[in-house]
Amino acid sequence: MRTHPARLAVLAPLLLILLPSITAAQDGSAWPFGTTGRVSMNAKDDWNLGIIGAKARDADTEPPPPARGGRRQVARLRPAERGDPGPKRLLIEILHPEGPGKKAGLQLGDVVYGVNKRPFTKGCLDPLAKALVKAESGKGTFVLNVERDGKKIKVTVDVGKGGRDLAKPTRGKGRRYIFDQALAWLAQRQDEDGGFSQTLSSHTGAVVQASLAGLAWLCDGSDLQSGKYQSQIQKAADFVIRYVDKRDTMGGLTNRGGANWNQSNWGYVYAAIFLGELQVRSPTGKVKVQLQSIADAIVKHQEKSGGWAHGPGGPNALDYLELNIVTGLALSGLGSAKVAGIAVDKDCVKRAMKYLAQSGSGDGGVAYADKAGQKGQGNIGRTAVAWLGARNLGLGKSPWGLKMGRYVSGHAGDVLDGHASLQLHVFHAGVAAHASGSGATKKFWAKLQRDLVLARAPDGSLQPRPWHETLSMGTNSDVSFGQVWTPATWAIVLGCDAKAIKGAGLPVWLGKSKPRR
């Protein structure tokens, strides 16, 4: 049996900042996070400049020191109060070795202060994204305004002529192009055993990453019987089945300091979503048996309150238990399993829905948990994944299910109201928006198209970004989760709607599949 010493357990968002940095040889400029070797929690949290192949930090603000342990208090500024314009000047820290930026002569230490002769007077994100879309769908080039060694120069970047379709990157052939690039990137990096080397995990996180990649390839139309990514899906499924039940604690640390570091629920819930979709698409006895076992484990791990924790075993290192991002994922996992013909405990589901309603906000938003200081403040990431699960469990039209549905429809693009992992909220909100309908989908892409454009990289991957919480903490969960997390989740958002990409999509998770018997 193969072990995975380079995979350190997937760290749940709040616990992530507690561990010391994982050893990594640092030269400060290695693509994509400024480190080489193992994933490092102190990797650089830089702004990705789209397919230019460059990453930069705010040139006018010193970054906070990297988090090396202990719990930090984070200033929680709501987007409506602070906006999200990005820096006005970008200090280049990382260059893709084969990217258009490096080929154009962009150098480490350059400060980009504008595009096409216009300075970033109100922030860089919108004008840079618009310039990238215009260039790639048009003549292929644009000009960066750069300061180097005290002098102002112009750097003409050639991103290539991608064609008119890329003028609409979230629709039609443009969307399909970005989706296809992400799938190919994932396939190139899958290990022979079905997992991924660039994973922050030993078992749990490796199962999460394999499940997400599997879901992305399923979107394309491949399954266990046929398709371009048939072999990749088979290997991913085998990997998940092999490792999902392996006991795994954070970083392989068992009861470190007497605390409970069990994170296994994350592996179970994402495995259930993947294998549920797979079993409906191309049923096998092996997958069905494992899916029933996973569903039983999820039910068994439910806390007495009705919610779920990172894993069983009592309060974690921060002395709390439930968190509703896992509760929502548990419902999604159980819902996908039920559609695949798996028996799911009804009382467990009722307790979970009651817990969500008791801890949530009156408008249907799912809050962090039910304790003082945690309840009553809903956000889209938690609500989206809980609502997706409730629908497949036959509770989409229950009073709380309807409230969650209205919340998703009204807040589909409000991902910056999330917590800990921005990409987690982008991921869940994007899938739920496509399940909700065209109104929610439009709201989602109205705010997230820019981020999609800037997330792209010249190698076909998609990269994480900083946001107000990570910039105040000095660490970014989406960076620490490794190179697979962001491309896989963006690919699922792009591919989950079958009509949008003319593929198979994810009809089970989106609530569009009839239950198997």
Side-chain angles (χ1 to χ4, degrees), residues 441-464:
T441 303
K442 288 179 181 178
K443 289 177 183 176
F444 176 81
W445 285 122
K447 292 187 177 181
L448 273 299
Q449 175 176 305
R450 179 198 70 182
D451 281 18
L452 172 66
V453 170
L454 294 175
R456 293 178 61 201
D459 58 7
S461 68
L462 295 114
Q463 299 295 316

Side-chain angles (χ1 to χ4, degrees), residues 40-100:
S40 170
M41 283 188 285
N42 291 334
K44 290 183 177 177
D45 183 22
D46 281 346
W47 300 95
N48 189 61
L49 309 188
I51 55 172
I52 294 172
K55 293 195 174 188
R57 68 170 176 86
D58 189 336
D60 299 318
T61 303
E62 285 297 319
R68 291 188 176 276
R71 187 178 184 180
R72 293 187 176 214
Q73 295 296 321
V74 180
R76 301 299 306 281
L77 301 178
R78 297 180 67 83
E81 299 169 340
R82 66 174 301 282
D84 186 38
K88 295 180 181 179
R89 298 185 342 123
L90 294 160
L91 176 65
I92 302 297
E93 292 195 310
I94 301 171
L95 288 167
H96 190 287
E98 302 296 329

Side-chain angles (χ1 to χ4, degrees), residues 274-284 287 291 336-341 507-508 513-516:
F274 168 45
L275 295 182
E277 197 83 44
L278 182 62
Q279 180 65 8
V280 171
R281 188 83 57 85
S282 49
T284 69
V287 171
L291 188 54
S336 294
K338 182 180 179 181
V339 175
V508 174
S513 286
K514 294 182 179 180
R516 290 180 59 84

Side-chain angles (χ1 to χ4, degrees), residues 303-315:
E303 302 297 334
K304 292 181 180 180
S305 63
W308 274 265
H310 294 295

Side-chain angles (χ1 to χ4, degrees), residues 44-378:
K44 290 183 177 177
D45 183 22
D46 281 346
W47 300 95
N48 189 61
L49 309 188
I51 55 172
I52 294 172
K55 293 195 174 188
R57 68 170 176 86
D58 189 336
D60 299 318
T61 303
E62 285 297 319
R68 291 188 176 276
R71 187 178 184 180
R72 293 187 176 214
Q73 295 296 321
V74 180
R76 301 299 306 281
L77 301 178
R78 297 180 67 83
E81 299 169 340
R82 66 174 301 282
D84 186 38
K88 295 180 181 179
R89 298 185 342 123
L90 294 160
L91 176 65
I92 302 297
E93 292 195 310
I94 301 171
L95 288 167
H96 190 287
E98 302 296 329
K102 187 173 181 65
K103 291 178 180 179
L106 203 60
Q107 298 179 10
L108 299 179
D110 282 350
V111 174
V112 179
Y113 66 92
V115 63
N116 292 332
K117 300 180 181 180
R118 295 183 179 181
F120 298 138
T121 55
K122 295 182 179 180
C124 67
L125 301 186
D126 283 342
L128 184 57
K130 290 176 181 177
L132 282 164
V133 170
K134 184 178 180 180
E136 192 178 16
S137 63
K139 63 181 181 179
T141 62
F142 68 103
V143 177
L144 291 175
N145 304 341
V146 174
E147 292 179 5
R148 180 183 297 165
D149 298 328
K151 298 179 180 180
K152 293 184 177 181
I153 62 173
K154 297 176 182 178
V155 176
T156 300
V157 181
D158 187 345
V159 296
K161 296 179 180 180
R164 294 181 181 179
D165 293 327
L166 285 166
K168 298 178 179 179
T170 64
R171 297 170 60 184
K173 293 181 180 179
R175 176 172 176 157
R176 179 75 206 200
Y177 175 76
I178 300 170
F179 172 69
D180 284 340
Q181 282 197 317
L183 295 192
W185 186 92
L186 290 168
Q188 290 170 1
R189 282 153 183 81
Q190 187 184 34
D191 294 339
E192 281 301 312
D193 68 352
F196 292 87
S197 298
Q198 277 292 339
T199 301
L200 188 63
S201 168
S202 57
H203 297 314
T204 299
V207 167
V208 171
Q209 308 289 50
S211 297
L212 294 173
L215 283 166
W217 291 318
L218 283 171
C219 291
D220 182 57
S222 300
D223 54 36
L224 294 178
Q225 275 75 49
S226 63
K228 182 177 181 179
Y229 296 105
Q230 176 187 0
S231 65
Q232 284 83 4
I233 290 174
Q234 181 68 69
K235 288 190 290 186
D238 289 343
F239 183 92
V240 169
I241 291 171
R242 187 182 312 123
Y243 286 104
V244 69
D245 287 319
K246 298 293 182 183
R247 178 168 172 75
D248 193 31
T249 52
M250 187 178 294
L253 301 173
T254 304
N255 296 324
R256 182 174 183 255
N260 174 25
W261 295 89
N262 192 305
Q263 304 284 301
S264 60
N265 283 344
W266 292 89
Y268 282 118
V269 294
Y270 279 119
I273 295 169
F274 168 45
L275 295 182
E277 197 83 44
L278 182 62
Q279 180 65 8
V280 171
R281 188 83 57 85
S282 49
T284 69
K286 180 180 180 181
V287 171
K288 184 176 182 180
V289 169
Q290 185 62 57
L291 188 54
Q292 182 67 68
S293 175
I294 290 171
D296 291 344
I298 293 173
V299 171
K300 182 180 179 180
H301 291 180
Q302 186 181 38
E303 302 297 334
K304 292 181 180 180
S305 63
W308 274 265
H310 294 295
N316 60 33
L318 297 182
D319 198 31
Y320 70 87
L321 197 61
E322 305 92 347
L323 67 166
N324 278 336
I325 193 71
V326 182
T327 302
L329 280 165
L331 288 180
S332 267
L334 292 174
S336 294
K338 182 180 179 181
V339 175
I342 300 302
V344 173
D345 186 284
K346 294 181 180 179
D347 290 336
C348 167
V349 174
K350 290 180 181 179
R351 289 193 298 270
M353 289 291 284
K354 183 178 180 180
Y355 181 80
L356 291 175
Q358 289 175 341
S359 60
S361 52
D363 59 357
V366 172
Y368 190 91
D370 69 340
K371 304 298 187 295
Q374 298 175 333
K375 64 187 301 182
Q377 298 181 13

